[in-house]
Amino acid sequence: MKLLTIAIPCYNSEGYMRKCVESLLVGGEDVEIIIVDDGSKDGTAAIADEYAGKYPSIVHAVHKENGGHGSAVNTGIENASGLFFKVVDSDDWVKESDYIQILDTLRDLTGGEKVLDMLISNFVYEKEGEKRNKVMRYHHALPQNEMFTWDDVRYFRKGQYILMHSVIFRTKLLKDCGLKLPEHTFYVDNLYVFEPLPFVKNMYYLDVNFYRYYIGREGQSVNETIMISRIDQQIKVNKIMVDYMAENKAKIKANRKMKKYMFNYLEIITTISSILLIRGGSEEHLEKKKELWDYIRQKDRMLYTKLRYGILGSSMNLPGKGGRKISVEGYRICQRFFKFN
């Protein structure tokens, strides 16, 4: 069995996927790299086959019809044989020295009395045009260099969450929890780091800047204009998260700190949906915003009350054009501070 499976979802990635794959090959025989060609129409498939032919004991190429990022991640999980599982997007890469430390840590933690469910590390926003890249660290919220549980987790700041770039899951946990990301939908990475959490018991945090998250490619899904044009997919993911919170109360309330973390994460996703709809500006966008909040109220009134009348919910629902302008200005301040989009 391989120590770590790394899935690389690829769609028309010929221009940048080599940098990603080359950075991962450093892991050697401990690693299984699954390049998932999601129905690409360029040279992606040929590059995937080239690497699979050159490194047959490490790289596997899987070719499938286009189903979107979530479908490619699902395929990676289905084909994974490693003890642990990581997703690395095809326009991102990893830092070699931290990669080796990650593998050494996974190896050391394998076979002990406690089973590791999730390893967390830092990621770096490699933002085009920025002289200094922001590092997302978790040292203030998580114990370092030791196995810990939700009871040991400290406070997460607003806007700081464990994202897909941060996590390595135990592969069997992902399979056992029934995670199935929706097809032909963007922003499903939010579900990937949300739905498995009630099944996570033991965690480990390494304060290393392992993952390099590239922002700035034209047409990238996190670009604000692109996000507004795909707002229906953002809303779809938002509603799935609401459904999960409402329908899995027993699992989620089993741990107070985990419940609080999951609520805060849902709150920020709902805030992003709301502000994008305000930024969209049309009557249709504003009607969709109302419909989203109505959906939450109908699904779970208590959850709605906590979301709607918290600081973020209140600021996203100020009345009239003046209120919406204030909401957008608050959003802009957060953009400058957190350096997203």
Side-chain angles (χ1 to χ4, degrees), residues 197-216:
L197 293 184
F199 299 85
V200 170
K201 292 184 174 62
N202 297 314
M203 296 169 273
Y204 195 97
Y205 170 55
L206 270 180
D207 188 10
V208 295
N209 302 340
F210 168 51
Y211 193 104
R212 322 305 275 203
Y213 173 37
Y214 180 73
I215 300 178

Side-chain angles (χ1 to χ4, degrees), residues 88-117:
V88 177
D89 286 333
S90 58
D91 50 356
D92 300 333
W93 62 95
V94 301
K95 184 179 177 182
E96 179 177 340
S97 59
D98 296 336
Y99 184 23
I100 299 303
Q101 190 173 347
I102 291 276
L103 292 172
D104 288 343
T105 301
L106 290 175
R107 195 179 301 108
D108 291 343
L109 293 173
T110 299
E113 286 185 15
K114 296 179 180 178
V115 176
L116 176 66
D117 295 317

Side-chain angles (χ1 to χ4, degrees), residues 158 161 194 242 245-246 249 252-253 255-271 274 293 296-317:
K158 290 289 185 186
Y161 300 95
F194 190 75
V242 169
M245 284 286 284
K249 289 182 179 179
I252 293 169
K253 74 178 183 181
N255 186 282
R256 178 180 57 84
K257 288 189 176 181
M258 180 189 69
K259 179 183 177 182
K260 182 179 180 181
Y261 173 84
M262 292 182 72
F263 171 81
N264 288 342
Y265 192 61
L266 174 61
E267 182 182 42
I268 201 71
I269 294 301
T270 307
T271 299
S274 297
W293 283 97
I296 299 170
R297 184 176 64 248
Q298 291 165 13
K299 190 71 182 183
D300 189 313
R301 185 167 288 275
M302 185 176 295
L303 180 62
Y304 166 80
T305 300
K306 288 182 67 179
L307 287 170
R308 173 62 181 81
Y309 296 105
I311 294 174
L312 293 178
S314 296
S315 65
M316 291 303 108
N317 289 281

